[in-house]
Amino acid sequence: MNQVSLQSGTAPKVLLGEMLCARGLVSSEDVEKALKIQSSVGGRLGTLLVRIGAVSEDQLLQVLAEQLQIVYLRNSNELPDNLLVFQFMSQSPIKLDWFIDHSVLLWQRDEELCCLARDMQDHGLTEILNYFYPQQAVTFYIAANHQLDKLLEFVRRERAIEQLFSPGNAKQLREMAEEAPVIELVNNILAQAVDVSASDIHVEPGEENFTVRLRVDGVLHTRLTQPSERFAAVASRIKLISGIDIAERRLPQDGRITTRISGQELDIRVSTVPCVHGESIVLRLLPKDRDELALVNLGMEEDHLKMFRSWLQSNNGIVLVTGPTGSGKSTTLYSALDDSNDGINKILTVEDPVEYQIPGITQIQAHSEIGYTFARALRAILRQDPDVIMIGEIRDLETAEIAVQSALTGHLVLSTVHTNDAVSSFTRLVDMGIEPFLVAAPMRGVQAQRLVRKVCSHCSEAAPVPESVRVELSKLPAGLTGNSWRTAKGCTVCHNSGFSGRMGIYELVPMSTELQDMIVAGATLNEIKALVQAQGHRTLYQDGLIKASRGETTLEEVTRLTLSE
C-alpha cells in the first residue's frame, strides 16, 4: 500500500494548535493570534506560530512529527547523503527543476522511497508522487528549514555543474583536459599570486583569449594568457569554491573563499561582473596574518601616529580617513579598531563587505540588494549600546546624517570618504547636504593617505635630487628627513619592477577653532587649504618627500601619486 495516503487530504484527528497547547508550548492566545493572521494572509499555523515567536522551530517539528506520524530528522547525521539525493533525483522521472521549485527532496534507501519537503501537507506533493511512483511505498520525513536549505543548495550547485559539463561543452572540456585539470590551473594561479605578494587577481575574458593579471604593489602585471574555450571551466571553478551560483552569468555576484596557500591562511573576496565576452572576475587576497593591522606598521611618522591615536582616544566625534580606491583606507581603519580594542569599549562596524575579521569586535555586513543599507544597519546598532562605531564608507546623505548624530550623542565614529585630500572631505559632506555647523562640530580630525611603493633594497641606486626639492624639504622638521635618495632599477628579487612592498604617506588635519569657524562660515576649499598650510600641517607630497629622503621610496613614485600637490 502506498504510504503517501496520510497526505491525501484528511486532516489529522488532533489539531496542531491543541497539541501545542496541551504540552504547554504555546498559549491559546498565541493560537488565536496565529489563526487571525492565517485568515488574512494564509500560511500554515505552525509556521505562523514560529514567526510570531510563540514556539521554536525545533519544538514545533517535534509535535508536528507526532501529529503526522512521521520521522523528524533532528540531527545532521540523520540526514541523507547529499550526493545520494542528487543522483536519485537527477534520474527521477520528475524534473529536477520541480524538486527545487517546490523544496522537495527524494531518495532511495533499500526498497524504501524517502521524501523530505518544506510543506508535508501539500496535496500536490502527494498527487505527483502517486502518479510517478504508483506502486512504491513512500516514507515521509521532516527537518529544520536550514537543514533542508543546505541540501537543496547542494542539489542546485550539482545541477549547475552538470549543465556546465554537458555534451554542448565537450570541446572545451577536452581541450582543458589535454592541457591541465581545471582545479590544478586555478590552484596554480592562486599560488603564484601568493608567491609574489599580489593583492588582487584579475581574470579578464576576451574574444579569443582570457588573461590573468596580478596586482602587485598597486600595479597590474599580466601573468597568464589562455584560450577563451577554457574560461568557462576556470570561472566555474572559482565560483564553485567561493559559494557563488555558477549557473548565473547575467548578474554581478560576490563570494568568499577561506583557504591555505603556500603555508599562508587567506580570506579571498570574489567579485564577478558580466561583460561582453563572459564575466570579469576579481579576487581580493586578504591574509589572515594580522601583523600588518597595527598602526605602527603603516608608515606613519611619530608626530602623525601620536596625533591619530589622540583622535582615537576621544569619547565622541568623527574621525575620517580619505583617499581614492586602493589607498589603504580600510587597512588604516582596521588598524585603528585593533588599536582601540582594549576589551573595555563596545566596538561595532557596518561594512560592505567585511574584509578582515577581528576578534572582540562585532562586525555587520550590509546588504543593499535586500534593503539592508548602511543607514538601516546604523539605526539598528545604535540600540546595541556601542562606544565606537566604524562605518565602511559615508556615501550618501542618510548615512552622513546618522554618523553626525551618533558622534553628537556620545559615540566615536570612524569612517571613510572618497576625496583627493583631507580638507576636501569637509566640503564633500556639505555637498551631500549636511549643514556646515554639523560638519564642524563633531569632527576630531581627517587623514588623507596614499600608498607608495617601497624601493627594492637589493637593486636601488643612489640618485641626485633637484634643488627645488631640497628647498621644500628644508621647511620640514629636520629630525624626520634624511639624505639617502634612491632610484629604482630592477632585479630578479623584485621581478624587475624596482620596488617591493608598499607603505603609506599621510596628511593629517586636526580640527581647530579657526578651522571650525571657516567651515561654518562657508569658506572655499582654497581658503581652508591656506589655513591648514599656515598651521603647519604636512601635505601628502611633503610626507612623501620625507620617506624618499630616507631612501624608503623614490622621488618619482611620490610625485606620481601626489601629482595634484
Side-chain angles (χ1 to χ4, degrees), residues 39-326:
S39 64
S40 59
V41 300
R44 297 291 183 189
L45 176 65
T47 302
L48 296 173
L49 286 168
V50 172
R51 287 182 179 174
I52 65 174
V55 66
S56 71
E57 183 184 29
D58 182 58
Q59 292 171 328
L60 170 71
L61 291 178
Q62 290 183 59
V63 175
L64 189 61
E66 183 181 341
Q67 182 203 31
L68 300 177
Q69 298 181 355
I70 57 179
V71 177
Y72 171 27
L73 303 179
R74 192 172 183 180
N75 301 315
S76 298
N77 56 7
E78 296 175 344
L79 293 167
D81 179 75
N82 46 23
L83 187 59
L84 177 69
V85 173
F86 171 74
Q87 289 174 342
F88 182 83
M89 288 167 52
S90 62
Q91 297 168 8
S92 169
I94 305 173
K95 288 186 176 181
L96 196 58
D97 285 338
W98 183 89
F99 286 114
I100 294 172
D101 292 342
H102 291 80
S103 298
V104 176
L105 297 168
L106 201 65
W107 69 97
Q108 186 88 29
R109 188 173 60 196
D110 298 328
E111 298 301 318
E112 183 182 53
L113 191 63
C114 306
C115 180
L116 176 62
R118 182 96 62 196
D119 187 356
M120 301 303 304
Q121 295 171 292
D122 181 4
H123 303 312
L125 171 62
T126 304
E127 293 171 4
I128 287 286
L129 293 179
N130 278 328
Y131 180 81
F132 285 100
Y133 298 94
Q135 303 300 322
Q136 194 158 5
V138 180
T139 301
F140 283 90
Y141 297 92
I142 56 174
N145 277 325
H146 74 275
Q147 301 278 28
L148 181 60
D149 288 338
K150 190 174 180 181
L151 284 166
L152 286 168
E153 180 59 27
F154 179 85
V155 171
R156 289 190 190 95
R157 290 188 186 178
E158 287 299 311
R159 180 190 61 170
I161 293 172
E162 203 168 69
Q163 289 174 344
L164 174 68
F165 295 106
S166 63
N169 287 322
K171 180 181 177 182
Q172 292 93 317
L173 291 176
R174 277 196 301 272
E175 291 179 350
M176 182 185 68
E178 289 168 359
E179 297 293 335
V182 63
I183 295 175
E184 183 179 344
L185 177 58
V186 172
N187 288 346
N188 190 29
I189 292 170
L190 292 172
Q192 287 186 44
V194 172
D195 290 344
V196 298
S197 301
S199 60
D200 303 87
I201 303 170
H202 292 247
V203 184
E204 301 164 334
E207 186 174 358
E208 297 180 354
N209 302 295
F210 75 89
T211 303
V212 176
R213 297 199 290 169
L214 306 181
R215 188 179 293 280
V216 181
D217 297 335
V219 179
L220 281 171
H221 302 272
T222 299
R223 195 74 178 183
L224 181 71
T225 301
Q226 292 280 298
S228 58
E229 289 83 3
R230 297 177 193 165
F231 176 76
V234 171
S236 297
R237 174 63 186 170
I238 293 172
K239 292 163 78 173
L240 182 66
I241 62 178
S242 59
I244 293 176
D245 182 0
I246 65 174
E248 179 57 72
R249 298 180 177 90
R250 300 167 300 172
L251 297 172
Q253 296 189 87
D254 295 296
R256 183 180 287 271
I257 305 167
T258 299
T259 186
R260 181 180 178 86
I261 301 171
S262 300
Q264 188 172 352
E265 297 289 341
L266 288 175
D267 276 330
I268 304 175
R269 198 179 76 211
V270 181
S271 170
T272 69
V273 175
C275 60
V276 174
H277 298 292
E279 292 175 283
S280 172
I281 303 175
V282 176
L283 298 86
R284 168 66 59 86
L285 308 183
L286 304 167
K288 286 189 172 183
D289 182 4
R290 296 185 178 85
D291 289 344
E292 66 178 55
L293 293 184
L295 289 176
V296 294
N297 295 337
L298 299 184
M300 289 187 191
E301 302 300 330
E302 284 297 327
D303 56 342
H304 278 173
L305 184 60
K306 183 178 180 181
M307 183 185 297
F308 191 71
R309 277 182 165 154
S310 70
W311 297 348
L312 298 179
Q313 290 167 3
S314 303
N315 292 324
N316 55 66
I318 297 177
V319 176
L320 289 181
V321 178
T322 181
T325 301

